[in-house]
Amino acid sequence: MKQQLRRTLGVFDAVVVGLGAMLGAGVFVALGPAAGAAGTGLLWGLAVAALVAYCNAMSSARLAVHYPASGGTYVYGRERLGPFWGWLAGWAFVVGKTASCAAMALTVGTYVWPGQAHAVAVAAVVVLTAVNYGGVRKSATLTRVIVAVVLGVLAAVVVVSLSSDAADAGRLGLGLGTEADPGSVQGTARGVSQAAGLLFFAFAGYARITTLGEEVRDPARTIPRAVPLALGLVLAVYACVAVAVLSVLGAGELGRSAAPLADAVRAAGASWLVPVVRVGAAAAALGALLALILGVSRTTLAMARDGHLPRGLAAVHPRFQVPHHAEVAVGAVVAVLAATVDVRGAIGFSSFGVLAYYAIANASAWTLGSDGAGVRFRVRVRAAVGLVGCVVLALALPAPSVVAGAAVLLLGAAVYAVRRR
């Protein structure tokens, strides 16, 4: 009989976990590449990403009500579509997100101590793994602190940018094209789709609480409330930040910026705020890393229970009620990667993998029945929009990301076939 995790997270904790997962370092860097793709259509790209994220989030929340267990889409795909699709979702998540963990740890190291980025990255992984080992309540408490710091920094960026003389509402524009080349490919509908795919990666984490479904109190009520609330709050924050930065830098300069928030406050005449932005980015990366380790360890737990991974990883600590073997294993792998390899430039498949993961979640949600025809119709409409959106955004990503992501999925399918034989 499998050991169950303890249900300790309420609505507020669940929302905080979602905020910590989404308010990662992505918001500090993703706006630049997105503006480079969409030009003055950046806000349209944000809207498309938000729509797809909303459909995915609601499909995941609906599934979590039926299957309130650790593992998220791995469990949903297995139960609704069959073992292969569950395996593929779990494979995409564990492989892609393990690399993302290492990349996020290195991001923390780069912000905190550029000369010793690998050492700081390993230290961050060890500390956060220890926090997670002590119980999900400790993880939620630390996430509250991180979220408060990040929101404070982002609020300062928005206020300083919009209140400066450099702000110009005329730079917002809701048309296509870029300032430098209005007829360029980067400004077409394809550019908006590519920007949406890049921004979608910054949203990734909105359904993290469904991965922790086994640790949520009254999941039938908590998860459907927490997921859209966390997503709505983050969308509001992202929209404010995008408007503030775009109004100060304009689409052209924003598209060329490697650190758009720092450049925005500098252009607004508040250079003193640049170090604060760096602190906020480091804190955001820590929050995202904490949530990533939580999510990967719970999916590892679910896959170990089914024998897809060593069954020893399914052990639950008798006191702390966490999958301690899975958490230590994930932490060790991430620490080794962070210490030896710079994977930040080699995880283009992560966005593709996340979109494939949620495509399986939407396909699973499509199969759900309901007591009322109206409810069933809404569930299926959201699932259909989410599924199509995931496919479109995945294919709109840069070609190297698509190729790498498809290769990872094909490798996962091959591993499954070999194991079956």
Side-chain angles (χ1 to χ4, degrees):
M1 189 173 182
K2 68 184 181 182
Q3 297 170 285
Q4 298 292 322
L5 303 180
R6 182 183 299 156
R7 297 190 181 279
T8 60
L9 300 177
V11 174
F12 181 76
D13 290 322
V15 170
V16 168
V17 169
L19 291 176
M22 285 184 280
L23 291 174
V27 69
F28 289 84
V29 296
L31 291 174
T40 51
L42 173 64
L43 297 181
W44 284 114
L46 179 63
V48 172
L51 174 62
V52 177
Y54 169 77
C55 293
N56 294 348
M58 296 310 297
S59 290
S60 297
R62 186 80 179 177
L63 287 158
V65 170
H66 288 77
Y67 306 102
S70 293
T73 300
Y74 165 74
V75 174
Y76 313 148
R78 180 194 67 196
E79 296 296 326
R80 305 303 305 188
L81 303 176
F84 170 74
W85 295 105
W87 158 265
L88 197 63
W91 170 270
F93 188 84
V94 170
V95 174
K97 291 302 184 180
T98 298
S100 292
C101 285
M104 198 58 65
L106 283 168
T107 300
V108 174
T110 300
Y111 277 115
V112 174
W113 192 356
Q116 297 292 331
H118 288 280
V120 174
V122 173
V125 172
V126 171
V127 170
L128 295 183
T129 300
V131 171
N132 286 341
Y133 195 99
V136 73
R137 293 291 305 173
K138 288 184 174 61
S139 302
T141 300
L142 178 58
T143 303
R144 290 183 191 181
V145 177
I146 292 172
V147 167
V149 171
V150 176
L151 287 177
V153 172
L154 293 179
V157 171
V158 171
V159 171
V160 167
S161 298
L162 293 181
S163 61
S164 71
D165 294 335
D168 181 1
R171 295 193 180 107
L172 297 179
L174 292 177
L176 301 180
T178 64
E179 290 178 344
D181 187 1
S184 67
V185 175
Q186 287 75 21
T188 64
R190 176 176 173 77
V192 171
S193 298
Q194 189 172 109
L198 295 168
L199 292 169
F200 180 87
F201 181 71
F203 275 111
Y206 48 79
R208 183 73 71 244
I209 193 61
T210 64
T211 311
L212 310 177
E214 199 171 312
E215 295 161 274
V216 176
R217 295 196 305 267
D218 192 7
R221 295 178 67 251
T222 299
I223 293 176
R225 292 180 179 181
V227 170
L229 182 56
L231 180 61
L233 289 171
V234 169
L235 174 59
V237 172
Y238 281 9
C240 290
V241 173
V243 167
V245 174
L246 193 59
S247 67
V248 171
L249 297 179
E253 188 175 347
L254 178 57
R256 294 186 292 271
S257 174
L261 271 62
D263 288 344
V265 296
R266 192 178 290 110
S271 297
W272 58 269
L273 194 56
V274 173
V276 178
V277 171
R278 291 181 62 85
V279 171
L286 276 174
L289 177 59
L290 178 63
L292 280 168
I293 294 175
L294 278 172
V296 174
S297 62
R298 270 55 178 184
T299 303
T300 299
L301 164 70
M303 296 179 74
R305 284 172 171 172
D306 291 342
H308 290 305
L309 294 174
R311 291 190 182 274
L313 296 176
V316 176
H317 195 283
R319 176 185 174 188
F320 300 122
Q321 292 294 295
V322 296
H324 58 302
H325 289 177
E327 287 188 338
V328 170
V330 170
V333 171
V334 173
V336 170
L337 286 175
T340 57
V341 183
D342 190 343
V343 295
R344 285 172 293 181
I347 60 166
F349 64 86
S350 185
S351 291
F352 189 92
V354 168
L355 288 163
Y357 177 85
Y358 284 115
I360 294 173
N362 282 300
S364 302
W366 175 269
T367 67
L368 287 175
S370 175
D371 295 333
V375 175
R376 184 187 305 116
F377 177 76
R378 291 196 298 272
V379 169
R380 288 195 163 181
V381 167
R382 284 197 296 258
V385 173
L387 177 57
V388 172
C390 286
V391 173
V392 170
L393 294 188
L395 296 178
L397 289 170
S401 298
V402 176
V403 172
V408 170
L409 293 182
L410 287 174
L411 178 59
V415 170
Y416 182 84
V418 170
R419 293 186 70 256
R420 290 281 291 179
R421 293 188 62 181

